[in-house]
Amino acid sequence: MPYQKLKAFTFSCLTLLFINACNPLTVQPNQAESDLNSQNNILNLLDPEVKTEKQAFAKAEEALSQGKNDNALFYYIKVLQYNKQNIKALEQIANIHNRTNHPELALKVYKDILAIDNQNLLANENLGLYFLENGQAGKAKEYLAVAVKNDNTNWKAHNALGVIADLEHNSKDAIAHYEAALAVEPSNPMLLNNVGYSYYLSGDLHNAKHFFTQALNYDNKYKRAIHNLALIEIKNSNFTTAVALFNRIMPAHESYNNIGYISMLNGQYDVAEEYLRRAIDESPVYFPKAQENLKTLMALKAKTQSFEPSVSPTPITQPSVSTRPAPLPNQSISAKAAQNKPAIIVKAPVKKTVNNRPAAFKKKQQ
């Protein structure tokens, strides 16, 4: 049997054993030890030498330290044969399922843990992150609040609560959560980018720029911070600096197109035309995005010239936030594709990133 098929078969067997081990009927309070050690018990058939919860747990820890996830999972399940409320074993089983990309099983284990201890830190944190990643911010907030209540140094939970606060347009609370996370992880570029995003939402461009710059001080290749800082520079009319920043993460013609598009949204039509034409000239091939943006721009300029007073610049609306990882800015903005919507800031992902939208301000993970 090929290795992958054997591995899948082994995992299926362990899953069935896990489900049975967690079943409330598996181990009764007065169940005799002789029954648990019966030769008819499949767990004992596989390793009859292990006869106690302590022995099984020691075997599981040893296998885990050697990187043998399947063996460790087997012995943690065997621990549950003797004590289905062994929290440490359940936590390790959930961790193994997460590492081996079986989130649905990990989710079940976390819920089993909370049925035993509803204040458990690991279960509340991971359930909160899971629901946030899946767009259920309200549900996520309940679990994450318990996590930080029991451990105020849990930076991942604070970061996720910051994302939720931004979704609720509550920049003050978001900044407070990010600052709590930064107290634990002061050099984390994702957190620095996220707090910069919140300052941007609050209208404080000075602090937003400061934190985007700080993120790059710790990781000068952090693309989301480079992108966000470039858009701050556009807003401040520092176009040469914005070009230099964009050129670090995309070809020159796409940089010019982005600057042209953002300038168009800001009502800076002459600047927008200059950079869109440069984008078209610099592109080695036909550049439909820039052509579309230039066409939209010329229509806007014609419209403004048909009125005696100048038309007010198009305001930039409050940026939206995605709890899923935002795409890196490897494609330029198209006015048509964006349906003339203003650029958005994007956070870093909540989870690993995270994680993973058209070029615009980038925030947050999971």
Side-chain angles (χ1 to χ4, degrees):
M1 182 183 293
Y3 172 74
Q4 291 299 332
K5 290 184 178 180
L6 177 61
K7 187 174 181 181
F9 174 76
T10 302
F11 181 80
S12 299
C13 292
L14 289 174
T15 300
L16 290 173
L17 291 173
F18 166 69
I19 293 171
N20 288 331
C22 290
N23 191 307
L25 299 179
T26 303
V27 183
Q28 300 296 336
N30 297 321
Q31 189 171 357
E33 185 175 334
S34 59
D35 292 336
L36 293 174
N37 293 329
S38 169
Q39 291 299 312
N40 294 325
N41 189 310
I42 188 170
L43 290 167
N44 293 326
L45 288 173
L46 293 174
D47 190 346
E49 299 302 316
V50 175
K51 299 181 182 298
T52 68
E53 177 185 353
K54 185 176 180 179
Q55 288 176 336
F57 194 87
K59 282 273 193 177
E61 295 286 283
E62 180 183 5
L64 193 65
S65 68
Q66 297 170 353
K68 299 176 180 178
N69 287 329
D70 290 344
N71 288 6
L73 185 59
F74 165 78
Y75 284 111
Y76 284 126
I77 292 171
K78 192 168 176 64
V79 170
L80 299 182
Q81 174 193 13
Y82 298 102
N83 177 9
K84 68 180 186 300
Q85 295 191 344
N86 188 309
I87 295 290
K88 289 184 178 180
L90 287 166
E91 288 179 341
Q92 294 288 36
I93 289 170
N95 288 336
I96 291 171
H97 286 318
N98 273 331
R99 285 197 300 273
T100 54
N101 198 28
H102 294 96
E104 68 290 341
L105 289 174
L107 191 66
K108 180 188 183 305
V109 181
Y110 291 134
K111 290 179 177 179
D112 287 342
I113 291 172
L114 291 186
I116 300 168
D117 175 15
N118 62 10
Q119 299 296 303
N120 182 270
L121 178 61
L122 184 70
N124 277 293
E125 175 195 321
N126 281 279
L127 282 171
L129 293 175
Y130 172 85
F131 286 118
L132 182 56
E133 283 289 307
N134 286 276
Q136 300 181 60
K139 199 168 185 179
K141 190 175 182 178
E142 296 176 11
Y143 290 108
L144 294 167
V146 176
V148 298
K149 177 183 176 183
N150 290 312
D151 182 4
N152 197 43
T153 65
N154 188 318
W155 70 269
K156 291 181 181 179
H158 272 300
N159 181 55
L161 285 168
V163 173
I164 294 172
D166 279 326
L167 286 169
E168 297 172 343
H169 308 292
N170 188 342
S171 296
K172 182 179 178 181
D173 281 0
I175 290 169
H177 282 298
Y178 294 133
E179 287 179 343
L182 283 168
V184 182
E185 291 275 318
S187 58
N188 188 315
M190 179 190 72
L191 295 175
L192 291 162
N193 181 68
N194 287 353
V195 73
Y197 167 89
S198 294
Y199 276 113
Y200 176 86
L201 287 184
S202 70
D204 188 344
L205 296 186
H206 176 76
N207 272 319
K209 181 177 179 178
H210 167 74
F211 282 103
F212 293 146
T213 303
Q214 283 290 97
L216 292 176
N217 286 342
Y218 289 107
D219 182 357
N220 62 9
K221 296 181 180 180
Y222 191 66
K223 293 184 178 181
R224 291 177 177 85
I226 293 171
H227 196 276
N228 289 345
L229 187 57
L231 294 182
I232 289 282
E233 297 295 358
I234 294 172
K235 196 169 181 66
N236 290 333
S237 297
N238 298 324
F239 302 109
T240 302
T241 304
V243 169
L245 286 164
F246 273 138
N247 283 349
R248 291 164 61 178
I249 56 177
M250 63 183 68
H253 63 281
E254 292 189 4
S255 299
Y256 294 144
N257 179 63
N258 283 354
I259 292 172
Y261 175 74
I262 302 300
S263 298
M264 176 174 63
L265 294 177
N266 291 341
Q268 299 165 296
Y269 294 154
D270 290 339
V271 173
E273 183 175 357
E274 175 191 347
Y275 280 96
L276 290 174
R277 292 193 183 281
R278 289 176 70 177
I280 293 168
D281 291 342
E282 288 285 335
S283 178
V285 295
Y286 179 69
F287 196 2
K289 295 183 183 71
Q291 296 282 0
E292 292 168 2
N293 288 339
L294 183 59
K295 182 178 179 181
T296 301
L297 172 64
M298 300 314 291
L300 287 170
K301 290 185 74 172
K303 186 177 180 180
T304 61
Q305 292 168 2
S306 67
F307 294 91
E308 290 187 4
S310 297
V311 175
S312 300
T314 305
I316 291 187
T317 60
Q318 274 204 330
S320 60
V321 183
S322 170
T323 59
R324 294 183 178 277
L328 297 179
N330 52 13
Q331 292 190 3
S332 301
I333 302 172
S334 163
K336 182 178 180 181
Q339 298 177 341
N340 292 325
K341 291 182 180 179
I344 53 174
I345 276 190
V346 182
K347 286 190 176 182
V350 176
K351 289 183 103 173
K352 43 193 175 223
T353 111
V354 176
N355 67 23
N356 325 272
R357 137 191 6 180
F361 266 105
K362 298 199 162 203
K363 189 179 183 180
K364 179 158 225 321
Q365 222 61 94
Q366 307 340 228

